């Protein structure tokens, strides 16, 4: 079903690698300390690109690949210490499953120390036992308490600030055990495969304080592990003021361009740029019968999505529900317009007057008015666009409610 996006840059004389190609080269040419951040608008396909990366033949030959994602319960309270802990846990489980005879004893000792710090001298584990089931119980107990208990999260955060080296030691010992296991299974005179970790949904951390703690204050903690890692990154972090360290490591997915700059109108169809429409039509045709969606229905869904594929398919799914309810055999433009109105109603529910003003100014100027307005990127209220430079546009679904109210004769 995958549809190759059109080239991002107009006027280029040579083809450029796509995002997966660029990340592949970074990983293959880099050392085991290499880190890459994959950024992109909400719904732009970061998870899809990570899945594609994991299947690249050179990646599979060279690396032992582990992919995991942060769960929805973790997004609102995640911090750098929890990131390191989850990374250690996922690697520990992977080592147990993939290398049953891996030497994980040093990791067990550190976990018992962590157990005593967090749960007191009694702890959860015995002082003699080294059973893997006991260690797994401790991992899952900590994970569960981090997801459910605010007081435990505060305790873990305090622990991370004062004893972060313990978490780093835990991660180091797990990685050493995996490296030794990979070396043992390597044929003589052949290079050993190395570990590669793909971490998804870290971009779902949208609170400004949480983003600052992870990607600014403690960015070094994400860069320190001696293993190649690809992290997803919140869009607002990429467009922040002082993220030079992050930008040097970022590969970014832009929405496919379907709109031109059009500050003179609040009707998205007036801003339609037809050059890349065939990409959207092809993406739909690969997934549905050609008779199901009229071309105009696809065009409207693409325009009002602002080029974000997830949003386009969301509009088309809502259109199918309306068509089914009305016993229609296909989806036409009228049905999509009804779906657009229904989705707009949901999307506009949390907007205040100051949000309307800020988003109207983005539409008129194609710029963010302040650093604080970066949050609109993570909330999908604003879309990042591009020609030869990056510019910003309010989500097309909202344009009609951003239009200034008409002035009456008495206001003149």
């Amino acid at each position: 079903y995958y549809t190759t996006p059109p080239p991002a840059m107009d006027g280029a004389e040579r083809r450029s690698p796509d995002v997966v190609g660029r990340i592949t080269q970074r990983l293959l040419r880099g050392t085991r300390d290499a880190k890459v951040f994959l950024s992109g608008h909400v719904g732009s396909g970061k998870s899809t690109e990570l899945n594609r990366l994991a299947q690249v033949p050179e990646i599979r030959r060279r690396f032992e690949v582990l992919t995991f994602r942060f769960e929805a319960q973790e997004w609102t309270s995640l911090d750098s210490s929890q990131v390191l802990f989850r990374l250690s846990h996922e690697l520990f489980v992977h080592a147990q499953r993939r290398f049953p005879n891996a030497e994980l004893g040093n990791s067990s000792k550190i976990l018992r120390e962590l157990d005593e710090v967090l749960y007191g001298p009694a702890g959860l584990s015995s002082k003699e036992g080294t059973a893997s089931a006991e260690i797994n119980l401790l991992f899952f107990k900590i994970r569960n308490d981090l997801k459910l208990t605010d007081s435990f999260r505060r305790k873990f955060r305090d622990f991370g600030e004062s004893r972060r080296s313990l978490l780093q030691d835990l991660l180091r010992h797990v990685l050493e055990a995996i490296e030794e296991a990979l070396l043992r299974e390597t044929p003589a005179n052949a290079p050993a495969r190395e570990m590669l970790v793909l971490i998804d949904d870290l971009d779902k951390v949208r609170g400004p304080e949480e983003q600052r703690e992870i990607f600014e204050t403690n960015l070094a903690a994400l860069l320190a592990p001696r293993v190649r890692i690809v992290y997803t990154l919140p869009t607002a972090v990429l467009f922040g003021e002082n993220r030079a360290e992050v930008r040097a490591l970022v590969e970014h997915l832009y929405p496919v361009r379907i709109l031109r700059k059009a500050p003179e109108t609040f009707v998205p169809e007036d801003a339609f740029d037809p050059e890349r429409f065939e990409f959207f039509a092809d993406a739909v045709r690969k997934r549905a019968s050609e008779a199901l969606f009229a071309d105009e229905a696809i065009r409207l869904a693409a325009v009002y999505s602002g080029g974000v594929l997830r949003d386009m398919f969301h509009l088309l799914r809502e259109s199918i529900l309306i068509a089914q309810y009305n016993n229609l055999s296909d989806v036409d433009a009228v049905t999509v317009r009804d779906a657009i109105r229904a989705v707009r109603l949901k999307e506009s529910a949390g907007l205040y007057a100051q949000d309307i003003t800020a988003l109207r100014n983005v539409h008129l100027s194609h710029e963010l008015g302040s650093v604080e307005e970066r949050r609109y990127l993570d909330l999908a209220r604003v879309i990042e666009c591009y020609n030869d430079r990056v510019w910003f546009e309010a989500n097309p679904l909202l344009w009609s409610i951003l239009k200034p109210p008409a002035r009456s004769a008495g206001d003149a």
Side-chain angles (χ1 to χ4, degrees):
Y1 297 124
Y2 184 77
T3 305
T4 303
M9 297 304 297
D10 296 328
E13 297 185 14
R14 298 286 188 271
R15 289 186 305 159
S16 297
D18 63 7
V19 165
V20 168
R22 292 195 296 272
I23 295 177
T24 297
Q25 292 307 308
R26 283 178 180 257
L27 296 172
L28 292 175
R29 295 175 181 176
T31 67
R32 67 175 182 174
D33 296 307
K35 304 293 183 294
V36 181
F37 291 99
L38 176 59
S39 181
H41 185 81
V42 179
S44 61
K46 294 183 290 296
S47 296
T48 298
E49 298 303 307
L50 284 183
N51 291 335
R52 288 184 61 224
L53 176 65
Q55 300 305 317
V56 172
E58 300 101 312
I59 293 293
R60 292 174 66 85
R61 283 193 296 268
R62 174 83 177 274
F63 302 114
E64 175 86 10
V65 181
L66 167 65
T67 302
F68 73 90
R69 66 188 345 159
F70 286 98
E71 301 170 6
Q73 305 98 308
E74 299 173 284
W75 298 344
T76 58
S77 57
L78 202 61
D79 59 35
S80 56
S81 297
Q82 291 183 48
V83 173
L84 292 178
F85 176 78
R86 276 294 308 278
L87 177 56
S88 300
H89 182 202
E90 297 294 338
L91 284 165
F92 190 91
V93 172
H94 180 79
Q96 287 183 313
R97 181 176 61 249
R98 188 60 179 81
F99 310 108
N101 298 319
E103 290 291 336
L104 293 166
N106 288 330
S107 305
S108 302
K109 292 177 184 177
I110 296 175
L111 272 169
R112 274 195 284 279
E113 185 177 348
L114 182 61
D115 179 10
E116 186 168 335
V117 170
L118 294 174
Y119 295 104
L124 295 178
S125 60
S126 69
K127 303 309 173 190
E128 304 83 27
T130 59
S132 61
E134 182 182 297
I135 299 302
N136 283 328
L137 173 63
L138 178 56
F139 265 125
F140 281 107
K141 170 64 174 172
I142 294 174
R143 277 193 61 183
N144 194 59
D145 286 347
L146 285 171
K147 285 190 287 188
L148 300 178
T149 310
D150 187 56
S151 59
F152 188 81
R153 284 194 291 267
R154 290 196 299 270
K155 185 176 184 178
F156 195 86
R157 187 175 298 114
D158 293 340
F159 155 76
E161 291 175 358
S162 60
R163 301 285 302 277
R164 190 181 304 276
S165 61
L166 192 62
L167 291 173
Q168 292 169 334
D169 287 343
L170 172 62
L171 180 55
R172 177 171 56 84
H173 285 302
V174 175
L175 284 169
E176 287 174 353
I178 291 175
E179 288 169 358
E180 290 173 3
L182 286 169
L183 186 61
R184 283 196 297 271
E185 71 175 21
T186 302
N189 301 320
R193 296 169 74 231
E194 299 179 66
M195 199 70 211
L196 168 63
V197 185
L198 310 179
I199 303 180
D200 201 359
D201 283 346
L202 193 57
D203 57 298
K204 301 298 195 304
V205 177
R206 291 176 185 153
E209 291 184 11
E210 288 76 16
Q211 287 185 359
R212 192 176 304 111
E213 195 278 340
I214 296 173
F215 300 106
E216 294 185 27
T217 306
N218 292 305
L219 176 63
L222 270 61
L223 302 180
R226 299 216 66 194
V227 59
R228 290 172 176 84
I229 304 177
V230 180
Y231 299 99
T232 55
L233 180 78
T235 306
V237 175
L238 175 63
F239 292 101
E241 288 182 304
N242 301 310
R243 294 273 48 86
E245 312 98 306
V246 170
R247 287 196 191 98
L249 304 175
V250 164
E251 295 295 343
H252 188 70
L253 286 169
Y254 290 96
V256 176
R257 189 160 66 248
I258 195 71
L259 300 173
R260 61 174 177 82
K261 289 182 179 180
E264 73 282 355
T265 181
F266 287 86
V267 180
E269 294 109 289
D270 295 343
F272 172 57
D273 182 346
E275 184 177 353
R276 289 167 170 76
F277 170 68
E278 191 54 38
F279 163 76
F280 296 96
D282 188 42
V284 173
R285 292 178 190 129
K286 283 185 175 179
R287 293 162 172 79
S289 165
E290 288 197 31
L292 181 57
F293 296 105
D295 280 353
E296 180 63 6
I298 298 173
R299 188 183 77 88
L300 285 172
V303 166
Y304 279 86
S305 73
V308 179
L309 282 174
R310 182 190 296 176
D311 292 348
M312 181 184 76
F313 282 110
H314 176 57
L315 287 171
L316 292 177
R317 285 194 296 270
E318 292 296 313
S319 302
I320 288 173
L321 291 177
I322 294 172
Q324 289 176 328
Y325 190 77
N326 288 275
N327 297 315
L328 302 175
S329 60
D330 59 3
V331 174
D332 58 12
V334 174
T335 306
V336 174
R337 290 188 187 280
D338 283 344
I340 288 168
R341 280 190 285 270
V343 174
R344 178 190 295 125
L345 188 62
K346 293 180 181 179
E347 289 296 318
S348 61
L351 293 177
Y352 293 91
Q354 62 266 33
D355 298 317
I356 298 291
T357 300
L359 293 173
R360 180 187 301 129
N361 290 336
V362 171
H363 173 62
L364 294 175
S365 69
H366 302 295
E367 296 179 352
L368 294 177
S370 66
V371 172
E372 289 71 29
E373 290 182 10
R374 289 180 301 154
R375 66 188 180 89
Y376 292 126
L377 291 163
D378 289 335
L379 296 173
R381 307 295 198 196
V382 167
I383 298 169
E384 65 272 18
C385 305
Y386 58 91
N387 295 115
D388 282 337
R389 57 157 291 188
V390 176
W391 50 278
F392 300 97
E393 181 57 271
N395 188 319
L397 278 171
L398 304 174
W399 284 17
S400 65
I401 64 174
L402 303 181
K403 186 176 182 179
R407 298 177 65 187
S408 66
D411 294 330

